[in-house]
Amino acid sequence: MTKKTYPYRLLTPGPVPLAPEVLKALSEPVRHHRTPEFQKILLRSLENLKWFFATAQPVMMLAATGSGAMEAALVNTLSPGDEILVIVMGKFGERWAEMGEHFGMKVRRLNVPWGESVNLDTLKIELLKNKQLKAVLTQGVETSTATVADIKEISKLVHEHSEALLLVDAITGLGAMPLPMDEWKLDVVVAGSQKALMLPTGLSFIALSSRAWERTKNARTPRYYFDLSQERKANEKGQTYFSSANSHVVALDVVLEKFKKQNLKTLQARCALLAEATRESGKLLGFSVYSKSPAPSVTALQVPDSVDGAKLRDHLEQTYNVTVMGGQDQLAGKILRIGHLGYITDDDLTAGMELVAQSLNDLGYKVDAAPALKVLKATLAKGPHVS
Ligand SMILES: *Cc1c(COP(=O)(O)O)cnc(C)c1O
């Protein structure tokens, strides 16, 4: 059979498949951003974002991918020369460390072995040793290794032992697991459109605690496009600082209203269920779970030794029209990363895993898919289902 006979299935940790009503919203005629109709949608979205972040603080949107909001977090709260501690659990931690260096901050890296979550005792020692730290930066989920961090405990440690702000890249964390910003005292939280918010790539989101807003007053890193004080002022007038990404915002409104109907717990439970089904069926196909602290939003399956993971990924895409991610750097060819965010039906995951099994067989690694699919279906049957 050729590729054409298989429907396209996107099972990556961003971008993610979109819900039918979101696709519909995106196909509507563009409405100018200075119309009362659009302003109403914008204001409602900004209000709903507060609910999504679980914060009383304003949440702002930036017409940039997630990395733009990561940059905004740094340049609005820090100055060149500030000492910061970056928890590096993989590629995205590395990105934040590089950004810090680029903007002239003194970056201390807390390097964590890939596939592991940061050790809390080690973090505590770093905090006690470095009283001058202005910020601690971490990922909620390190997408490159599919590993989750214990943000609640990290936050407690940071606030107990330092004056540092805690900046959390929650781009693949928010929506997949509890991360209540105010309750857990997170100082900056960053999210992205093509992950849990189930939109096309291109928007990112950021909220600051009142402590973090206080720091913006003395933060001397140059900023123009990402000046959050200006953004906030514009939002208060029902506008964005620059042109609104109008189609994205219209779709965002649909997503957030949908999420509110489902509630956050159901959304999180759905991610956890897809993750569990992927891990349990994956093990029965000969994979092992790569991460020691597996995330609910993405699963990294380590391929059997005799299988070339890069070939497996390409075969799955070229032959069966299923896209998953491989590994980067030291993990190249060693893992498949399967995403659990977005509009993923039971059928999407079932077909995806069945075709992973088929691909293994095609490449000469003989495996019986039946027991894995049985476990997969039994797990998914527990619900919740996608709606
Ligand atoms: C996707 C992602 C980002 C942002 O990447 P962009 O390509 O800029 O959207 C940042 N951090 C994590 C953990 C991510 O998964």
Side-chain angles (χ1 to χ4, degrees):
M1 267 198 273
T2 63
K3 187 168 169 171
K4 289 279 173 295
T5 58
Y6 293 91
Y8 183 57
R9 296 191 203 268
L10 178 61
L11 290 173
T12 62
V16 302
L18 311 187
E21 59 268 48
V22 178
L23 287 168
K24 186 167 165 286
L26 285 167
S27 70
E28 279 169 19
V30 173
R31 200 184 277 283
H32 195 277
H33 56 277
R34 295 274 187 266
T35 56
E37 290 80 9
F38 180 79
Q39 289 192 331
K40 201 175 130 202
I41 292 171
L42 177 68
L43 286 169
R44 184 166 59 208
S45 300
L46 291 171
E47 204 50 43
N48 284 342
L49 280 168
K50 291 189 195 174
W51 166 81
F52 191 63
F53 276 60
T55 184
Q57 297 295 327
V59 181
M60 290 146 292
M61 53 178 88
L62 304 170
T65 69
S67 304
M70 289 169 74
E71 178 166 325
L74 282 185
V75 301
N76 282 275
T77 60
L78 295 162
S79 302
D82 280 355
E83 197 161 331
I84 64 175
L85 180 71
V86 183
I87 298 173
V88 180
M89 303 191 293
K91 292 290 277 185
F92 289 102
E94 189 55 43
R95 181 174 301 176
W96 238 351
E98 272 174 20
M99 275 187 196
E101 282 163 354
H102 199 85
F103 288 110
M105 286 130 210
K106 274 165 71 188
V107 176
R108 300 186 70 86
R109 286 176 164 75
L110 203 177
N111 287 311
V112 179
W114 280 33
E116 289 179 26
S117 192
V118 60
N119 179 288
L120 296 173
D121 295 330
T122 313
L123 174 62
K124 184 172 166 183
I125 292 168
E126 283 293 314
L127 293 168
L128 292 174
K129 262 199 328 213
N130 299 291
K131 283 294 180 191
Q132 67 291 7
L133 288 174
K134 292 284 194 295
V136 175
L137 287 73
T138 185
Q139 271 57 43
V141 169
E142 171 55 60
T143 316
S144 62
T145 65
T147 298
V148 63
D150 189 345
I151 296 297
K152 188 177 183 181
E153 290 306 316
I154 291 173
S155 180
K156 274 192 199 154
L157 283 177
V158 169
H159 296 309
E160 196 178 323
H161 301 292
S162 79
E163 294 295 313
L165 295 177
L166 177 61
L167 278 52
V168 181
D169 165 1
I171 293 177
T172 44
L174 215 61
M177 61 197 207
L179 277 173
M181 178 170 163
D182 290 358
E183 190 187 327
W184 289 6
K185 300 191 163 55
L186 314 178
D187 291 301
V188 180
V189 175
V190 168
S193 61
Q194 80 273 31
K195 312 280 170 98
L197 280 158
M198 226 167 64
L199 294 165
T201 308
L203 264 192
S204 51
F205 308 90
I206 184 166
L208 273 60
S209 68
S210 46
R211 284 176 79 219
W213 277 115
E214 230 9 79
R215 302 268 184 109
T216 62
K217 294 179 188 157
N218 299 317
R220 293 185 325 275
T221 311
R223 49 192 183 268
Y224 185 84
Y225 186 74
F226 289 140
D227 189 332
L228 294 178
S229 303
Q230 297 293 343
E231 190 64 47
R232 180 183 181 168
K233 265 188 221 156
N235 287 176
E236 282 161 7
K237 289 186 283 182
Q239 298 173 0
T240 49
Y241 187 24
F242 300 101
S243 297
S244 307
N246 20 21
S247 298
H248 273 75
V249 175
V250 168
L252 171 68
D253 180 46
V254 172
V255 169
L256 288 169
E257 288 291 318
K258 179 181 166 74
F259 283 179
K260 274 172 72 183
K261 267 186 223 127
Q262 285 176 356
N263 81 50
L264 278 184
K265 279 209 168 77
T266 310
L267 197 65
Q268 293 162 2
R270 175 68 187 168
C271 280
L273 183 78
L274 291 170
E276 182 192 346
T278 304
R279 291 193 300 265
E280 295 313 313
S281 59
K283 285 191 243 174
L284 291 173
L285 292 176
F287 295 96
S288 52
V289 175
Y290 173 72
S291 175
K292 295 200 172 81
S293 302
S297 42
V298 49
T299 297
L301 295 176
Q302 189 161 359
V303 302
D305 281 342
S306 60
V307 176
D308 177 339
K311 261 196 198 146
L312 178 64
R313 197 214 74 88
D314 291 352
H315 184 82
L316 185 62
E317 189 171 77
Q318 293 311 314
T319 315
Y320 299 118
N321 222 6
V322 177
T323 301
V324 301
M325 286 309 281
Q328 297 157 291
D329 292 357
Q330 64 197 80
L331 289 177
K334 298 211 166 69
I335 56 168
L336 294 185
R337 284 179 299 146
I338 299 177
H340 312 307
L341 299 166
Y343 190 79
I344 299 173
T345 64
D346 290 359
D347 184 52
D348 289 331
L349 185 63
T350 309
M353 290 306 282
E354 190 170 1
L355 293 168
V356 167
Q358 189 59 50
S359 298
L360 283 169
N361 281 303
D362 294 349
L363 295 182
Y365 183 88
K366 296 301 167 198
V367 63
D368 177 11
L373 292 176
K374 195 172 162 210
V375 163
L376 181 90
K377 286 176 188 163
T379 307
L380 291 175
K382 293 189 291 186
H385 300 284
V386 75
S387 54

